[in-house]
Amino acid sequence: MEFDLSTQPEIVQRGAEYAIIAWELAKSWALSPAAWSQFALLVLAYVLAILVSRRLRGFLTRILTPAEGLENLLARARRTSLLTLPLLLPLLAYLFTAIGESVVRSLFDSGAVIAFGKRVFLFLAVRILVRDVIADPFLKLLGRYALVPVAALYMFGVLDPLMAKLGEMTISLGNISFSVMALIRGVIAGGVLFWLGGWSNRQTTQFIENQKEMRPSLRQLTSKAIEFTIFAIAFLLLLNIMGINLSALAVIGGAIGVGLGFGLQKIASNFISGVILLIEGQATVGDFVELDGGESGQIVKMTARAAVLETFDGRWIVVPNEDFITTRVINYSDSGSANRYEAPFSVSYDTDINRVPAIIEAAVATHPDVLDLPYPPDCELRGFGDSGIDFAVEFWVNGLDDGPNKYTSDVLFLIWNALRDNGIEIPYPHRVVEIKGALPQVEV
């Protein structure tokens, strides 16, 4: 039966041609003894794969299941291997079919049917891999929209012609030219490479952070250097996969470098300042710092561009790294040094001030966080005020008098109680009002 499709669109005519080819191929397979033998081998290979996979699945499950509560690297690898067991059936079917294909080709000098069946089993394996094995959201998305369609095209035997057609289509950008196939390959490979780069960077960073014998600043610098190296290698591999000649990037790279030099001076300055900070270790994560501009807080994060300070009221302040190099910085936590504070107070003029220093120093020394070294509490006479005699007690503590710590408040309580227990009065302002002349008379 023939149809006149000359008046139909080209796509309809092309579809009809493919349909006729498929029909002729199916008819030749249905009427060929060699095709029937290949169908029989396909069924045999699948049944054999089912039987073998059932036995292997139980055996591998027992071997790969780690002991309860075991969390070392080998245990995690064994648990990951357990996730791949659904691939056992299609891969065994693919293996047995490949063996059957070699036998059929040696007997009949053809194996189109069994080769198609082998590609079907491979497609099923890819589909199970994307659907049941891969757990990462990005890899699952890449597998669903890239790996599975490629496997489907390979199954129907149209992958190579399509790749050749896309390879003939080129895109030019100045001195750089690449094919559409190279672009598609670059997108897929780029996604995989940068995912691998991110994963390896996370693993490396976690390993470095566990090296507690290294200084925090050195750990940060090492992590950043490894991160830069990993993604630089991934970028170069991506260009190589896409077939882009790296020498062709020289002119464009030079122009971009000049533009970056003029337009991104601040970013470059902050990046270099961040490297200097990490090398010298004068300010690192965990330190409480106060900048010349008045910003103060604990450093909770240091990036290539800026440091993040967290204040005691929960706010985050982003400070460019350059400010740590070009301005004055007070580090209250550097080298674990103690900090000195003072608590001012006054006593009445009726007091024997020679008793005050010993009383106050003994009271402040009872505070559990007040240190004897580098200096014990020291009570000093500061002056004679309008209402009383001014004193101040200096004391040293390991920590900051803010946030969870209330050192000055605690010391003032101790001073109050000590003065009260010893009968020493804390003065308050007195005013004497002198009225000249007679008092005004009030009529009743």
Side-chain angles (χ1 to χ4, degrees):
M1 182 181 298
E2 296 183 358
F3 298 96
D4 185 10
L5 301 177
S6 58
T7 59
Q8 299 298 321
E10 182 179 357
I11 188 172
V12 176
Q13 298 180 31
R14 185 64 58 87
E17 293 177 4
Y18 287 145
I20 292 173
I21 293 174
W23 169 254
E24 294 296 333
L25 181 62
K27 188 168 62 173
S28 65
W29 285 0
L31 300 178
S32 170
W36 281 105
S37 63
Q38 294 176 50
F39 277 122
L41 282 176
L42 279 176
V43 174
L44 179 61
Y46 185 70
V47 172
L48 185 60
I50 292 176
L51 297 176
V52 175
S53 65
R54 284 179 179 176
R55 291 184 174 274
L56 279 179
R57 192 182 183 97
F59 173 74
L60 292 176
T61 301
R62 291 192 300 270
I63 294 297
L64 295 176
T65 302
E68 188 71 24
L70 202 59
E71 293 297 337
N72 55 28
L73 183 61
L74 180 59
R76 290 197 296 270
R78 292 167 67 182
R79 289 191 183 94
T80 303
S81 301
L82 283 173
L83 299 177
T84 63
L85 290 182
L87 295 173
L88 198 57
L89 175 60
L91 290 180
L92 283 173
Y94 178 86
L95 175 64
F96 295 150
T97 304
I99 297 174
E101 181 185 11
S102 63
V103 174
V104 169
R105 290 191 182 278
S106 64
L107 294 177
F108 300 101
D109 198 22
S110 80
V113 176
I114 200 168
F116 177 75
K118 185 178 69 172
R119 295 195 297 269
V120 170
F121 291 136
L122 183 61
F123 171 77
L124 293 176
V126 170
R127 187 169 177 271
I128 292 173
L129 173 68
V130 174
R131 185 188 63 190
D132 300 331
V133 177
I134 296 177
D136 184 82
F138 174 76
L139 291 183
K140 187 177 284 291
L141 181 68
L142 190 65
R144 184 180 296 118
Y145 294 104
L147 188 58
V148 171
V150 167
L153 292 173
Y154 176 73
M155 178 180 65
F156 290 109
V158 296
L159 180 61
D160 291 339
L162 181 61
M163 291 177 61
K165 187 69 176 177
L166 293 176
E168 297 173 357
M169 303 170 61
T170 59
I171 299 175
S172 298
L173 294 175
N175 295 332
I176 303 175
S177 62
F178 48 86
S179 65
V180 175
M181 188 63 225
L183 178 61
I184 297 174
R185 187 168 59 240
V187 171
I188 297 174
V192 175
L193 282 174
F194 282 96
W195 179 86
L196 284 173
W199 178 83
S200 59
N201 179 59
R202 289 191 298 272
Q203 299 299 318
T204 306
T205 301
Q206 183 179 1
F207 174 77
I208 294 174
E209 288 299 325
N210 291 332
Q211 309 306 309
K212 300 303 181 183
E213 66 276 5
M214 297 174 63
R215 288 190 299 129
S217 58
L218 185 58
R219 292 201 299 264
Q220 289 265 337
L221 180 61
T222 305
S223 298
K224 294 299 179 185
I226 292 176
E227 179 181 3
F228 177 79
T229 303
I230 287 174
F231 285 103
I233 293 174
F235 179 71
L236 294 177
L237 286 176
L238 177 60
L239 294 180
N240 188 38
I241 290 173
M242 293 181 65
I244 297 177
N245 187 3
L246 297 181
S247 62
L249 296 175
V251 177
I252 296 178
I256 293 176
V258 173
L260 291 177
F262 284 103
L264 301 179
Q265 295 183 38
K266 282 292 183 182
I267 294 179
S269 175
N270 287 320
F271 177 78
I272 296 173
S273 298
V275 173
I276 294 173
L277 284 173
L278 292 173
I279 292 175
E280 294 183 349
Q282 294 180 355
T284 186
V285 175
D287 289 351
F288 188 92
V289 297
E290 181 180 347
L291 303 183
D292 202 20
E295 301 90 349
S296 63
Q298 185 179 34
I299 301 176
V300 295
K301 185 179 182 181
M302 296 190 73
T303 65
R305 187 189 67 84
V308 180
L309 308 184
E310 183 177 13
T311 63
F312 284 117
D313 54 3
R315 292 179 175 86
W316 279 22
I317 304 174
V318 180
V319 181
N321 290 329
E322 186 182 12
D323 290 358
F324 286 88
I325 303 298
T326 59
T327 62
R328 184 181 63 179
V329 179
I330 302 174
N331 192 337
Y332 291 93
S333 307
D334 189 32
S335 301
S337 59
N339 298 309
R340 190 193 71 174
Y341 296 97
E342 66 175 41
F345 64 96
S346 299
V347 298
S348 171
Y349 275 101
D350 297 332
T351 305
D352 180 6
I353 61 173
N354 297 298
R355 301 170 52 211
V356 172
I359 294 173
I360 298 303
E361 290 171 1
V364 175
T366 60
H367 193 287
D369 294 325
V370 172
L371 304 175
D372 291 330
L373 295 174
Y375 300 102
D378 181 24
C379 183
E380 299 177 353
L381 176 64
R382 292 297 173 86
F384 302 98
D386 295 337
S387 303
I389 303 174
D390 298 328
F391 284 88
V393 60
E394 297 175 349
F395 58 95
W396 290 77
V397 291
N398 275 325
L400 300 173
D401 188 23
D402 205 342
N405 303 321
K406 301 293 184 288
Y407 298 129
T408 302
S409 176
D410 295 342
V411 167
L412 288 174
F413 271 106
L414 293 173
I415 293 173
W416 172 273
N417 293 328
L419 294 178
R420 184 190 59 185
D421 294 342
N422 286 273
I424 299 175
E425 180 183 355
I426 295 179
Y428 53 88
H430 291 77
R431 295 292 181 265
V432 177
V433 179
E434 182 180 352
I435 301 176
K436 293 184 178 181
L439 293 174
Q441 299 296 324
V442 181
E443 296 183 359
V444 179

